[in-house]
Amino acid sequence: MAHKAALMPLACFAVLAGVFAMALLREHNPAILPSALIGKPAPALELPAALKGSKGLTPEALTGGITAVNIFASWCVTCVGEQPTLMQMKKDGVTVLGIAYKDSRENIALWLQKHGNPFSAVGLDEKGRAAIDWGVYGVPETYFIDAEGIVRHKHIGALSMQDYTAKLKPLLEEMRK
């Protein structure tokens, strides 16, 4: 009996080691990071305009229709690749708002002039404080908000046309109902 009791700590260690090994070896996909905002009201936006002569972002911008809030930056190489998809979303009637993350008005204006401007409005988040409220891990990230201002989906990384067609269009159709 004493012999079996001596093996108990070893058996517990083996079980714990197995659990930890499985957790470490499991496929890790950084694009599947949960958002605490899903199903909750979108954070209030009070950001100055990133572009001269345009409007900034206010809480009213997030209600009344389907809205995509895209956090991007002129220094973000990946952000360039999603511009065609954001332009298509705009054509499809989605209000696309931008949050320029840790950037300058001058750089944003040049970047949008070069790559196209799908945004109804762009707010400037120079210090990154708004991004913290939204739970941003890095740019680009896009949040989809319903007509009542509730966050319904978060997409991490650049939006591809394939993502939009296969995943997001059906989600947006469901949100319109």
Side-chain angles (χ1 to χ4, degrees), residues 123-177:
L124 184 62
D125 187 18
E126 284 181 295
K127 303 223 186 277
R129 300 214 187 276
I132 291 171
D133 292 342
W134 284 81
V136 171
Y137 291 99
V139 291
E141 288 187 17
T142 307
Y143 295 80
F144 294 86
I145 318 298
D146 69 16
E148 286 78 40
I150 305 297
V151 177
R152 295 296 174 200
H153 182 73
K154 174 183 180 179
H155 183 88
I156 297 173
L159 286 166
S160 69
M161 200 58 80
Q162 181 180 356
D163 290 331
Y164 178 57
T165 304
K167 300 175 191 171
L168 299 172
K169 265 189 161 181
L171 170 72
L172 295 170
E173 289 302 317
E174 183 64 32
M175 288 169 62
R176 286 186 174 108
K177 292 180 183 177

Side-chain angles (χ1 to χ4, degrees), residues 36-112:
L37 294 178
I38 303 299
K40 295 181 182 168
L45 284 175
E46 284 290 340
L47 292 173
L51 303 172
K52 290 180 182 178
S54 67
K55 56 186 173 178
L57 297 178
T58 63
E60 296 78 35
L62 297 175
T63 58
I66 306 300
T67 306
V69 177
N70 179 256
I71 294 92
F72 74 104
S74 66
W75 46 262
C76 169
V77 176
T78 310
C79 295
V80 174
E82 71 178 356
Q83 286 302 93
T85 305
L86 294 171
M87 298 292 262
Q88 183 61 51
M89 288 170 52
K90 180 180 179 177
K91 285 181 190 172
D92 291 347
V94 177
T95 300
V96 183
L97 303 175
I99 296 177
Y101 177 71
K102 293 189 175 182
D103 220 322
S104 71
R105 283 183 170 87
E106 297 78 20
N107 289 343
I108 288 299
L110 290 170
W111 192 84
L112 290 173

